Amino acid sequence: MIDVRNVYKTFWLPQEVKALVDVSVAIAAGEVVVVIGPSGSGKSTLLRCLNRLETADDGHIFIEGIDVLDPRTDINKVRAEVGMVFQSFNLFPHKTVLDNITLAQRVVRKRSRGDARQRAEKLLKKVGIQEKAKAYPDQLSGGQQQRVAIARALAMDPKVMLFDEPTSALDPEMIGEVLEVMKNLAAEGMTMVVVTHEMGFAREVADRVVFMDGGAIVEIGTPEHFFTSPAHERTKLFLSQILK
Amino acid sequence: MSTQQVSLRSKPRSRSYYIGAAAFLVLGFCLASALYIATVQVDYVWRWNRVPQYFFYKDREEVRADIPGEIKGLSAEGEHRRILLKGPEGENEFVVPAHGLRVAKGDLISAGDVLAVQERWKPGLLMQGLWLTIKVSIIATVFGVLIGLFAGIARVSANPFFRWAAVTYVEIIRGSPLLVQIFIWYFVLGTLINSILSKYGIEQISPLWYGVASMATFAGAYVAEIVRAGIQSIHRGQNEAARSLGMSYAQAMVHVILPQAIRRILPPLAGEFISLIKDSSLLGIIAIRELTKATREVVTTSLQAFELWFVCALLYLVLTFTLSMCVKYLERRMVA
């Protein structure tokens, strides 16, 4: 499904940072992969390279066999198949919840107003906020906004969902409702790549956990392996700090 | 908002507030008196009563017979009279206001005789100038906003063609005086275009349109910067969210970025419109009779320079003040 091979990425501004160093990972269809690591370890960069919000400097990224880094690839087609959920929700503040979810369906997928609306209402029901369809984003709580953002991404019927720290900007009491939606999505067999600090979610839902540090993948393994017998010193240190 | 105003009003004012307010009034009074005394010193006679005629005046128009003959009919049509004039060379009909009638039924008329006098209110030079100023400003604003929108979007484009073209345009326009630009539009481009047009027998373009073009391109450069700032003020995440859903750059711009940016740029855009109104006073130099040029002409005929220039300034003030009130209203609504 996703094949990342020897990817490098360096940021030059404001100073040189090697964000990704020889990163390779393959993700199968239906798999839920959780990426963890300290801040600045390159996990968000990896995620953003997958749909070319950041362009990797070197290496190859294939999504369903399509080379994302090839300049001839129509990246908009790839992105339509790859849903993304951001830490800061990024809902469109000038549009209602319903319009947030129908916009890309109509503009990109060329669906009719009625079809898009039907799909949106179904998804709003799924994430549990159908009564907020007519509200504007700033009238919703953070948890509700993030659930709308998930519905917005799902409305495109993506083959993969990328989550970039989806609960990091939320008040603690709202984290649960968002994770619940993500768990249900995983149970339905959605292919998911999740960057998060929610170790509970990783342990419970992940098929595999990727631990990154300093732009490189330190360790990949099942949650059991990961949380009970990590191989690397760096992983042990991180887990001991975070699970304190 | 309103509660805040109420609380401000009910707050008791300190003594220094009243002293300041009084000082302000005294200053205004002193300046006005100084001006008046100075004009008395040079024996200037203020004739404010002569000013209104340059806004509206009663035009006397004489209706004359074009053929000799006899008044055969005189029928009433409300406030008007229909005169039927029959003669050896044919017949003719005139409709004139009843109170200005100068002939009766049966009168014998020679060609050129006055049949009636019509009085009509007509806009004076100042009114015409004011209207032209408003017209030029509105047309130039419409085109200026279109140019500016396009240039502003080009300014943030990743494509060097668009970006460099926009930067060059903005820098050239903002870096040279408007007066010089008006001259270039009229004396250089205007001469070229009109010469070529006349070579192919096409009608000449009037100075008005070169004036409008210079104002529009001038305003466009400033609008472009406003638009650029507006686009860049939209959080990067908005673009990323739109693009991550598969929208193209243009789709993200049209559906996500611009609708949000336009709300933010409306107030500064209206401010740009205000300066455009004032800058249009320069157009008189290429024979466009806008408000300033009209005032100058009226001054030459009436010799009431003091009154008329004050009136001219006041008219601009009315235009700009009305607009800035609208801007305030807009801004308040944006915040709410």
Side-chain angles (χ1 to χ4, degrees), chain A residues 202-204 206-207 209 221-230:
Chain A
R203 204 190 296 241
E204 199 180 324
D207 294 311
V209 176
T222 60
E224 297 83 60
H225 157 81
F226 209 82
F227 290 105
T228 52
S229 54

Side-chain angles (χ1 to χ4, degrees), chain B residues 34-190:
Chain B
L35 182 73
Y36 179 73
I37 292 165
T39 57
V40 168
Q41 296 279 317
V42 299
D43 296 326
Y44 188 86
V45 186
W46 292 87
R47 294 198 185 90
W48 285 103
N49 58 328
R50 287 201 183 172
V51 173
Q53 59 175 318
Y54 298 110
F55 283 94
F56 287 104
Y57 66 99
K58 237 182 192 169
D59 186 46
R60 254 177 76 99
E61 193 190 334
E62 289 168 334
V63 181
R64 291 168 188 272
D66 48 355
I67 48 169
E70 190 189 340
I71 305 293
K72 286 286 186 196
L74 203 58
S75 49
E77 284 182 8
E79 291 288 292
H80 288 76
R81 296 286 179 275
R82 183 181 291 274
I83 306 171
L84 179 62
L85 176 65
K86 259 189 185 161
E89 291 169 30
E91 58 173 70
N92 213 343
E93 276 190 344
F94 304 86
V95 178
V96 297
H99 59 84
L101 195 64
R102 293 280 188 278
V103 292
K105 199 169 172 185
D107 286 1
L108 290 174
I109 302 290
S110 328
D113 280 359
V114 175
L115 299 177
V117 177
Q118 277 184 337
E119 282 191 333
R120 213 179 272 162
W121 283 102
K122 281 199 165 173
L125 260 184
L126 284 185
M127 211 59 206
Q128 291 172 19
L130 183 67
W131 169 236
L132 196 60
T133 289
I134 294 172
K135 190 170 116 183
V136 165
S137 303
I138 289 174
I139 300 175
T141 302
V142 169
F143 283 106
V145 166
L146 289 178
I147 295 170
L149 204 58
F150 187 75
I153 293 169
R155 183 79 176 63
V156 294
S157 162
N159 185 328
F161 172 80
F162 291 115
R163 201 173 62 239
W164 293 350
V167 170
T168 312
Y169 161 67
V170 168
E171 290 306 320
I172 286 177
I173 297 289
R174 296 207 310 172
S176 62
L178 176 57
L179 190 60
V180 174
Q181 290 175 34
I182 293 173
F183 282 142
I184 291 178
W185 268 104
Y186 185 57
F187 291 112
V188 181
L189 300 176

Side-chain angles (χ1 to χ4, degrees), chain A residues 37-242:
Chain A
S39 43
S41 60
K43 43 193 200 308
S44 281
T45 307
L46 173 62
L47 203 68
R48 291 163 61 84
C49 280
L50 294 181
N51 66 351
R52 218 164 89 184
L53 281 184
E54 305 285 355
T55 310
D57 299 331
D58 199 12
H60 291 281
I61 297 172
F62 295 96
I63 290 183
E64 292 221 299
I66 300 166
D67 189 349
V68 173
L69 293 174
D70 186 343
R72 285 165 299 183
T73 302
D74 182 353
I75 192 64
N76 296 329
K77 281 218 174 94
V78 177
R79 284 173 178 160
E81 306 292 335
V82 181
M84 188 161 195
V85 175
F86 300 85
Q87 181 179 349
S88 50
F89 329 136
N90 295 345
L91 292 179
F92 307 135
H94 61 300
K95 291 191 177 292
T96 61
V97 164
L98 198 66
D99 290 341
N100 261 277
I101 303 174
T102 55
L103 177 65
Q105 294 188 66
R106 293 173 52 205
V107 171
V108 179
R109 289 275 191 243
K110 311 289 179 205
R111 286 181 193 153
S112 74
R113 195 181 286 268
D115 286 354
R117 198 192 160 95
Q118 224 170 17
R119 180 91 182 100
E121 279 167 352
K122 211 171 138 194
L123 284 165
L124 277 177
K125 200 166 173 189
K126 187 171 169 178
V127 299
I129 34 176
Q130 62 269 49
E131 76 281 1
K132 295 287 185 186
K134 293 271 182 273
Y136 282 88
D138 59 5
Q139 296 166 325
L140 304 182
S141 71
Q144 292 172 326
Q145 288 193 50
Q146 194 60 297
R147 284 186 281 158
V148 172
I150 293 173
R152 178 175 70 176
L154 288 175
M156 300 295 286
D157 300 318
K159 300 201 170 73
V160 188
M161 284 286 284
L162 310 178
F163 292 85
D164 188 1
E165 304 200 22
T167 57
S168 297
L170 295 177
D171 291 335
E173 74 270 24
M174 294 169 181
I175 291 175
E177 62 194 54
V178 172
L179 291 181
E180 194 56 41
V181 170
M182 290 167 65
K183 274 178 206 166
N184 291 339
L185 203 56
E188 285 169 21
M190 173 64 78
T191 312
M192 290 162 66
V193 184
V194 184
V195 171
T196 188
H197 295 296
E198 293 298 323
M199 293 302 141
F201 178 82
R203 204 190 296 241
E204 199 180 324
V205 184
D207 294 311
R208 278 190 300 160
V209 176
V210 173
F211 175 64
M212 289 184 75
D213 189 28
I217 292 180
V218 177
E219 194 165 352
I220 303 181
T222 60
E224 297 83 60
H225 157 81
F226 209 82
F227 290 105
T228 52
S229 54
H232 289 261
E233 277 309 308
R234 190 67 196 82
T235 319
K236 284 177 195 163
L237 183 64
F238 176 73
L239 287 173
S240 73
Q241 282 166 341
I242 206 161

Side-chain angles (χ1 to χ4, degrees), chain B residues 247-264:
Chain B
M247 286 188 220
S248 68
Y249 178 83
Q251 287 168 337
M253 207 58 159
V254 169
H255 295 288
V256 176
I257 307 298
L258 282 181
Q260 296 182 59
I262 281 170
R263 281 168 209 220
R264 292 194 194 171

